[in-house]
């Protein structure tokens, strides 16, 4: 018995020493059942199962020899290893994994476009990469490894291009065959180092506006290529290069910073994007010079209202005028509720060809624009809300196809403006009231797709809370402003009304048509009038000299009037002098008929200029009300008005409402005081005789004349003052 037990113990130990792998095989079969398509793994598994079966049979045979035949062989059951449960994966993560897998397959299956140039044989260099964050207005630095050609492969008018490969900072190997292709650009002529950094700021700011455009759900999303600066500190002089991804495809220039639009490359999206940036930025900027491959653009240009920053290509309001002269609103402009820029009838006729080309565009409007409402807005009656609604379309808007007849251009008369009652308890229209309440009461935060404003080497499907807040703050600061004059005038008028209700005007207007800040839209119209005068838009053949009859004076006067309606003081004064048959600096070659109607219009414009603070207009009105000359048929001599304007002209010795200083050499203050004193001394035409006031004015005039080294004139005024004092005693 003991021998049997000892032998059985020995057999059990021997059994444990057998290399049985069947349990492992079973576990492997269960955990790998989903990957049966992997042929090499399945073949090795079958071999292991066969070897395990042979060893198992031998074991069973040994057990049967050690036990009586009457006793059944107890085959131990194999332990089933439970299948390990995988952690749940969110849909965005799963989608990113699928996208990454497809991207890797695409990279493996796509041949390297620059393989034939042997960039991997060049020397590896370390470079400092400068990246710009457009939201935070800050620069970041890191070090990258690159290989770059010694000679440029292409060049433009200002820069030359070099092929370059860059390793990802997240790469675990130095496999240059998998490095990304880039294009390094440098200026042919030597420029200041700050120019490189300004170019990057320009393009990254433009990229930010591309993200804002995409946020409004256009038919086609756009993107502007990320650009950084490489500084080779190991090279002599530490040269700088611009670095961009190499994009294969047909490179097309859709428009330029000087208003040029290529007819064969005319598309709706690039032109609508430029128009969108003008309105969404409240006319402060416009992004033009759109060029690139498809809807991936590079090297744009930004025109600002001041004409400063962003390099020499920033033409200011002149560049804006050049763009709108060649822009014909298309179906995407209409879908985004952009208003048409006011053009004359002849200008609209010249754009008919562009309308036909854009009508045949392949872009089809679909979906709707995402309504963007700041949940922090309360019932404050903010006038900018009404203008913001122009950039919003209802979610159930009908789909617009290419076959539909789309009105491409507006007439010369701008559409009417819908009134808004700021005294209502709820300024939101019914269509937006529900959306506003939902956004205020909802605790769910909707995620947005990230559009990096700086170059990144890794994928990230969400934005950090700081970046999300910065994007929302940028979007909140943008207030849409219309491109047509009627809406602009009403915007300014409503701003004045709200200022009266709240105790301060947003724009500081004293007159709804004249603003201390000036109207950018009006300045654009003024520049268009000047371009017409200079013959910029005239049809010229070769190098022939421009003839005066070739200038479209009707269009020039049309834009000058639009600028005047917007409150541009220079345009108001020019029209006033033009209609009154007086010499004028703007549109010198333009002439209007000398009629009573035009004279009355000229006096109206002159009064607008005087209200805006133009000293010359004040003096004109004072003399006209004094003598009746040039007053028109709708007004009579009024010495009360004359003294009022004389007094304002005397006190207007500083800047006008547009910040311009009007010299007083032609009409010095002492002459105006003497004329005003003459009216008070004589009395009449509604003005009571006041010798005391006349004596004071003559005395002040004499003192200023003495200060101006006009001794004889000063003595004359002192004598008149004594006579007025004598008339008072009588």
């Amino acid at each position: 018995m003991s021998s049997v037990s000892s032998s059985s113990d020995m057999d059990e130990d021997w059994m444990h020493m057998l290399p049985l792998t069947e349990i492992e095989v079973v576990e492997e079969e269960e955990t790998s059942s989903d990957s049966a398509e992997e042929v090499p793994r399945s073949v090795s598994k079958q071999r292991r199962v066969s070897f395990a079966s042979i060893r198992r049979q031998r074991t069973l045979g040994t057990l049967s020899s050690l036990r009586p035949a009457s006793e059944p062989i107890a085959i131990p059951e194999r332990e089933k290893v439970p299948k390990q449960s995988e952690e749940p994966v969110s849909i965005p993560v799963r989608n990113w994994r699928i996208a990454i897998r497809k991207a890797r397959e695409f990279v493996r299956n796509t041949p390297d476009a620059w393989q034939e140039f042997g960039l991997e044989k060049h020397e590896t260099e370390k470079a400092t990469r400068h990246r710009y964050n457009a939201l935070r207005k800050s620069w970041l630095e890191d070090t990258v490894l690159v290989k770059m050609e010694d000679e440029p492969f292409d060049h433009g008018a200002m820069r030359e291009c070099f092929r370059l490969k860059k390793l990802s900072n997240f790469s675990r190997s130095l496999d240059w065959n998998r490095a990304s292709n880039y294009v390094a650009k440098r200026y042919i002529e030597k420029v200041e180092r700050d120019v490189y950094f300004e170019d990057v700021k320009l393009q990254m700011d433009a990229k930010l506006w591309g993200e804002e455009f995409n946020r409004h759900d256009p038919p086609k999303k756009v993107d502007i290529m990320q650009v950084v600066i490489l500084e080779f500190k190991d090279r002599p002089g530490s040269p700088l290069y611009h670095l961009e991804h190499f994009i294969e495809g047909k490179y097309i220039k859709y428009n330029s910073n000087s208003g040029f639009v290529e007819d064969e490359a005319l598309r709706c999206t690039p032109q609508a994007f430029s128009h969108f940036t003008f309105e969404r930025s409240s006319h402060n900027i416009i992004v033009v010079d759109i060029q690139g491959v498809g809807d991936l653009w590079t090297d744009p240009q930004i025109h600002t209202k001041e004409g400063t920053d962003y390099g020499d290509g920033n033409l200011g309001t002149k560049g804006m005028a050049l763009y709108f002269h060649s822009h014909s609103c298309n179906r995407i402009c209409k879908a985004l509720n952009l208003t048409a820029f006011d053009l004359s009838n002849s200008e609209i006729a010249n754009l008919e060809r562009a309308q036909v080309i854009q009508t045949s565009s392949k872009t089809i409007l679909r979906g709707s624009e995402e309504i963007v409402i700041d949940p922090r807005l309360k019932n404050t009656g903010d006038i900018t809300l009404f203008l913001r609604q122009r950039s919003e379309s209802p979610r159930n808007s009908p789909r617009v196809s290419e076959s539909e007849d789309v009105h491409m251009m507006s007439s010369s008369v701008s559409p009417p403006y819908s009134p808004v009652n700021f005294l209502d308890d709820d300024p939101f229209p019914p269509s937006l009231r529900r959306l506003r309440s939902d956004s205020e009461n909802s605790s769910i935060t909707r995620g947005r797709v990230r559009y990096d404003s700086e170059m990144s080497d890794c994928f990230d499907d969400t934005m950090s809370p700081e970046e999300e807040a910065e994007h929302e703050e940028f979007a909140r600061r943008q207030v849409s402003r219309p491109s047509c004059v009627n809406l602009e005038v009403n915007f300014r008028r409503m701003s004045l009304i709200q200022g009266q209700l709240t105790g301060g005007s947003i724009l500081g207007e004293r007159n709804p048509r004249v603003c201390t800040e000036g109207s950018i839209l009006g300045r654009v119209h003024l520049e268009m009038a000047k371009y017409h005068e200079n013959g910029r838009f005239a049809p010229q053949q070769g190098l022939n000299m421009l003839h005066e009859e070739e200038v479209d004076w009707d269009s020039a006067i049309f834009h000058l009037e639009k600028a005047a309606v917007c409150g541009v003081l220079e345009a108001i004064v020019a029209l006033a002098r033009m209609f009154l048959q007086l010499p004028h600096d703007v549109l010198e070659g333009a002439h209007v008929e000398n009629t009573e109607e035009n004279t009355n219009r000229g006096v109206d414009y002159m009064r607008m200029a005087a209200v805006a603070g133009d000293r010359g207009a004040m003096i004109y009105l004072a003399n006209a009300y004094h003598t009746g000359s040039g007053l028109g048929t709708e007004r009579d001599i009024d010495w009360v008005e004359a003294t009022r304007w004389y007094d304002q002209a005397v006190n207007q010795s500083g800047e006008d409402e547009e910040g311009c200083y009007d010299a007083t050499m032609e009409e010095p203050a002492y002459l105006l005081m003497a004329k005003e004193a003459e009216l008070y001394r004589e009395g009449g035409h509604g003005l009571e005789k006041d010798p005391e006031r006349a004596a004071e004015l003559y005395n002040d005039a004499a003192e200023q004349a003495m200060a101006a080294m006009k001794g004889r004139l000063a003595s004359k005024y002192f004598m008149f003052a004594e006579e007025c004092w004598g008339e008072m005693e009588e």
Side-chain angles (χ1 to χ4, degrees):
M1 186 68 182
S2 60
S3 61
V4 175
S5 61
S6 60
S7 61
S8 61
D9 293 339
M10 180 185 63
D11 293 336
E12 289 180 0
D13 295 337
W14 176 78
M15 276 185 356
H16 289 300
M17 294 174 62
L18 290 176
L20 296 179
T21 60
E22 192 160 356
I23 295 180
E24 297 177 2
V25 172
V26 173
E27 179 181 357
E28 184 174 352
E29 288 178 348
E30 293 179 355
T31 57
S32 305
S33 59
D34 295 336
S35 58
E37 68 276 6
E38 299 183 6
V39 178
R41 188 180 183 90
S42 60
V43 171
S44 62
K45 183 169 59 179
Q46 291 176 1
R47 293 175 180 174
R48 294 179 65 188
V49 170
S50 61
F51 292 149
S53 301
I54 294 173
R55 288 192 296 270
R56 185 176 180 82
Q57 292 175 4
R58 292 177 179 175
T59 303
L60 295 179
T62 303
L63 293 175
S64 61
S65 63
L66 296 176
R67 288 174 174 82
S70 60
E71 296 182 7
I73 300 175
I75 303 176
E77 295 184 359
R78 294 173 294 182
E79 297 182 2
K80 294 184 178 180
V81 179
K83 183 178 180 180
Q84 297 180 354
S85 59
E86 299 181 357
E87 297 181 359
V89 179
S90 62
I91 295 179
V93 173
R94 185 177 61 186
N95 293 339
W96 270 114
R97 289 178 178 176
I98 295 175
I100 293 173
R101 186 175 68 250
K102 291 182 178 180
R104 288 175 176 172
E105 293 176 356
F106 176 80
V107 171
R108 284 196 300 265
N109 299 330
T110 302
D112 185 2
W114 287 356
Q115 184 176 5
E116 58 180 308
F117 303 108
L119 289 177
E120 64 278 0
K121 299 179 182 178
H122 286 72
E123 181 184 358
T124 302
E125 298 182 83
K126 285 186 178 181
T128 301
R129 179 173 59 175
H130 301 269
R131 297 178 292 172
Y132 180 69
N133 189 314
L135 286 172
R136 301 178 182 177
K137 307 296 182 183
S138 61
W139 289 89
L140 303 175
E141 293 184 8
D142 60 357
T143 303
V144 294
L145 297 178
V146 299
K147 288 178 178 289
M148 188 173 68
E149 285 184 329
D150 298 328
E151 299 296 331
F153 71 94
D154 199 0
H155 66 85
M158 300 178 64
R159 295 187 297 181
E160 54 188 1
C161 306
F162 298 81
R163 295 185 180 92
L164 181 145
K165 280 184 174 291
K166 183 184 76 68
L167 280 179
S168 171
N169 286 353
F170 298 93
S171 176
R172 299 180 181 178
S173 62
L174 297 179
D175 187 1
W176 288 97
N177 294 322
R178 295 186 178 182
S180 301
N181 295 333
Y182 287 83
V183 176
K185 303 178 182 179
R186 73 176 178 187
Y187 282 96
I188 300 175
E189 300 292 337
K190 186 176 181 180
V191 298
E192 297 292 335
R193 297 175 70 88
D194 291 341
V195 174
Y196 285 89
F197 291 89
E198 289 296 326
D199 290 344
V200 172
K201 290 175 61 177
L202 187 158
Q203 187 151 330
M204 299 312 293
D205 286 344
K207 180 177 178 64
L208 203 59
W209 283 106
E211 297 172 5
E212 178 69 11
F213 180 75
N214 294 336
R215 199 172 65 91
H216 286 73
D217 196 18
K220 286 187 176 181
K221 299 293 192 294
V222 304
D223 193 13
I224 296 177
M225 293 179 60
Q226 297 166 333
V227 59
V228 299
I229 293 176
L230 286 186
E231 180 181 8
F232 292 88
K233 294 184 178 181
D234 295 335
R235 295 187 182 183
S238 300
L240 300 178
Y241 290 81
H242 288 140
L243 185 67
E244 294 179 349
H245 274 285
F246 172 71
I247 304 298
E248 293 186 86
K250 186 178 180 180
Y251 190 90
I252 300 176
K253 191 179 186 70
Y254 298 106
N255 60 38
S256 69
N257 63 337
S258 60
F260 171 77
V261 177
E262 177 61 46
D263 291 343
E264 298 176 354
L266 186 57
R267 292 183 52 223
C268 295
T269 300
Q271 314 307 327
F273 170 72
S274 297
H275 190 177
F276 171 85
T277 59
F278 178 76
E279 287 204 5
R280 187 62 178 160
S281 66
S282 296
H283 308 167
N284 287 307
I285 64 102
I286 185 171
V287 182
V288 294
D289 203 8
I290 306 300
Q291 53 194 308
V293 179
D295 291 314
L296 181 58
W297 304 330
T298 183
D299 290 337
Q301 178 61 54
I302 298 179
H303 298 314
T304 63
K305 64 177 182 179
E306 300 89 357
T308 58
D309 298 331
Y310 300 127
D312 296 335
N314 183 1
L315 303 180
T317 53
K318 293 182 176 64
M320 298 177 183
L322 292 172
Y323 165 78
F324 279 110
H325 182 264
S326 60
H327 174 61
S328 173
C329 278
N330 52 58
R331 57 174 64 91
I332 298 182
C333 297
K334 184 177 180 180
L336 296 175
N337 286 340
L338 304 178
T339 57
F341 187 86
D342 294 277
L343 296 174
S344 64
N345 292 330
S346 60
E347 291 173 323
I348 295 175
N350 293 334
L351 289 176
E352 288 182 353
R353 183 186 178 191
Q355 299 174 16
V356 173
I357 295 176
Q358 290 187 99
T359 303
S360 62
S361 175
K362 301 301 182 181
T363 301
I364 301 178
L365 299 185
R366 59 188 181 276
S368 61
E369 178 186 3
E370 178 182 357
I371 298 180
V372 182
I373 301 179
D374 190 350
R376 289 168 289 184
L377 286 176
K378 302 298 180 182
N379 300 345
T380 57
D382 189 356
I383 65 170
T384 59
L385 174 67
F386 179 81
L387 294 171
R388 190 174 300 176
Q389 294 169 16
R390 296 181 311 96
S391 298
E392 300 167 356
S393 60
R395 290 186 176 274
N396 297 326
S397 58
R399 175 171 177 164
V400 182
S401 64
E402 296 180 9
S403 60
E404 293 184 1
D405 184 16
V406 180
H407 183 65
M408 307 298 289
M409 294 291 295
S410 67
S411 61
S412 59
V413 180
S414 301
Y417 198 70
S418 303
V420 175
N421 186 2
F422 292 103
L423 300 180
D424 291 343
D425 293 335
D426 191 352
F428 290 81
S431 60
L432 296 180
R433 192 173 295 127
R434 177 181 58 82
L435 295 173
R436 183 200 58 161
S437 60
D438 291 345
S439 62
E440 289 180 351
N441 299 329
S442 175
S443 60
I444 300 177
T445 303
R446 293 179 299 172
R448 290 198 304 110
V449 178
R450 175 176 180 175
Y451 300 95
D452 289 334
S453 293
E454 55 180 298
M455 184 168 292
S456 176
D457 288 316
C458 60
F459 292 100
D460 192 354
D461 59 335
T462 59
M463 299 174 62
S464 66
E466 294 79 7
E467 291 175 327
E468 182 72 26
E470 291 169 353
H471 274 82
E472 293 298 334
E473 177 64 20
F474 173 81
R476 188 185 63 82
R477 290 198 306 265
Q478 311 312 320
V479 178
S480 295
R481 199 160 178 172
S483 301
C484 64
V485 171
N486 284 353
L487 296 181
E488 171 75 1
V489 172
N490 283 307
F491 176 88
R492 301 160 75 82
R493 182 177 292 113
M494 288 191 301
S495 175
L496 178 64
I497 295 174
Q498 187 181 27
Q500 294 174 349
L501 294 177
T502 60
S505 175
I506 290 179
L507 299 178
E509 289 120 332
R510 291 182 300 178
N511 185 305
R513 290 188 176 185
V514 181
C515 166
T516 57
E517 175 180 285
S519 170
I520 304 173
L521 182 63
R523 285 158 53 190
V524 173
H525 279 283
L526 177 62
E527 295 297 340
M528 292 191 73
K530 292 180 178 180
Y531 274 130
H532 276 289
E533 179 185 16
N534 298 332
R536 177 67 171 79
F537 303 139
Q540 301 183 29
Q541 299 294 333
L543 298 177
N544 296 335
M545 297 298 293
L546 177 67
H547 299 286
E548 187 172 323
E549 58 270 12
E550 295 179 354
V551 177
D552 188 357
W553 292 111
D554 291 337
S555 296
I557 296 176
F558 170 85
H559 289 292
L560 193 64
E561 290 178 336
K562 293 297 182 182
V565 171
C566 289
V568 178
L569 186 56
E570 185 179 359
I572 297 172
V573 173
L575 284 173
R577 301 185 69 85
M578 184 187 303
F579 284 113
L580 293 172
Q581 309 301 316
L582 299 174
H584 48 279
D585 297 332
V586 181
L587 305 187
E588 294 182 6
H591 303 284
V592 296
E593 296 181 3
N594 187 9
T595 62
E596 292 183 356
E597 180 182 359
N598 286 338
T599 301
N600 292 329
R601 291 183 63 186
V603 176
D604 291 338
Y605 280 120
M606 196 66 77
R607 189 177 182 86
M608 289 176 58
V611 172
D614 183 76
R615 187 171 181 274
M618 295 177 185
I619 296 173
Y620 178 90
L621 288 179
N623 291 329
Y625 280 115
H626 182 183
T627 63
S629 175
L631 195 58
T633 59
E634 297 179 353
R635 296 173 177 85
D636 299 324
I637 298 176
D638 188 344
W639 283 7
V640 175
E641 283 291 305
T643 56
R644 171 196 169 195
W645 291 114
Y646 277 134
D647 187 64
Q648 289 196 19
V650 169
N651 297 324
Q652 183 71 20
S653 58
E655 297 178 347
D656 56 29
E657 284 205 351
E658 288 193 346
C660 301
Y661 180 78
D662 194 342
T664 59
M665 295 301 295
E666 296 182 0
E667 295 286 345
Y670 53 82
L671 293 180
L672 302 180
M673 289 179 180
K675 291 182 179 181
E676 185 180 0
E678 181 183 352
L679 296 181
Y680 279 109
R681 184 177 182 181
E682 296 181 6
H685 296 287
L687 180 67
E688 295 182 2
K689 185 177 180 180
D690 190 350
E692 181 180 4
R693 175 61 176 162
E696 293 175 355
L697 289 172
Y698 275 127
N699 190 64
D700 293 340
E703 291 178 355
Q704 291 204 14
M706 185 68 70
M709 306 300 290
K710 301 292 183 180
R712 292 183 180 181
L713 193 59
S715 300
K716 179 181 177 181
Y717 291 156
F718 278 128
M719 182 183 66
F720 287 159
E722 292 294 333
E723 292 177 358
C724 290
W725 290 118
E727 293 177 4
M728 285 183 59
E729 294 176 359
E730 295 177 359

